Amino acid sequence: MRAIALVCSLTSSPTSSSSQLLAEQVLEELAAQGVRGETVRVADHPVLPGVSADLGPDDGWPALREKVLAADILVLATPIWLGHPSSVCQRVLERLNADSSETGDDGRPLLFGKVAVVAVVGNEDGAHKVSADVFQGLNDVGFSLPANAVTYWVGEAQHTTDYRDLDRTPDSVAATTRTLAANAVHLARLLSDHPYPVTG
């Protein structure tokens, strides 16, 4: 099985990113379940605004889309900004929307057999609200969400400590990430063996 982690930090590489750190920890737990993974910082690519699969030669989304379509599991990692998912995360959801009406050779929507999970970091309250927003978008375009489909860390409000600044991963975050990975792999295997019915 394969996983792709799209990191929706507002900053490009090589700037340090808490979202990237948590995404990499999710991939480590997925690797322990036998899943090969790759992390991509979306801000490193010229992903144009829109709701089409390909917006022309200057658009960086088609290459990322191919990685998503080739993966069994999508990890969408986002910081909290102003109480919401990052604008980069929203753009990814908008571009994924192009595939919500596309079907494969078997007649099933392209994303129906894929599992998605979410990783959220921030220094303000709002991880549940952000994951709810992202969950709805992912489900709308066809991804399936396992139980406990989010792992997150939120620091104290109005303080400056980031997840990447911690000396160690909190036990609760590590345990949640481990459960998320196990459930994602379980669901992905179930969907591989027993695809959704063709109803169109």
Side-chain angles (χ1 to χ4, degrees), residues 30 36 40 63 76 99 101 130 138-139 146 159 188 193 200:
L30 288 171
R36 291 176 294 145
V40 176
L76 198 53
D99 289 309
S101 59
V130 167
L138 289 168
N139 189 254
H159 283 243
D193 292 340

Side-chain angles (χ1 to χ4, degrees), residues 9 25 35 46-47 51 53 71 86 98 105-106 119 143-144 147 157 170 175 181 188 193 196:
S9 170
Q25 291 173 341
V35 178
V47 176
V51 290
S86 74
D105 294 338
D106 59 4
F143 286 95
S144 294
D193 292 340
Y196 288 117

Side-chain angles (χ1 to χ4, degrees), residues 59-113:
D59 186 15
W61 177 250
L64 299 187
R65 176 179 178 267
E66 288 304 313
K67 292 178 182 292
V68 172
L69 294 179
D72 303 287
I73 300 170
L74 169 66
V75 180
L76 198 53
T78 180
I80 301 169
W81 281 111
L82 301 174
H84 298 276
S86 74
S87 58
V88 175
C89 181
Q90 182 63 30
R91 181 163 296 183
V92 167
L93 291 172
E94 289 164 353
R95 296 305 302 270
L96 285 169
N97 187 66
D99 289 309
S100 62
S101 59
E102 296 294 322
T103 57
D105 294 338
D106 59 4
R108 293 182 182 86
L110 287 179
L111 302 177
F112 265 33

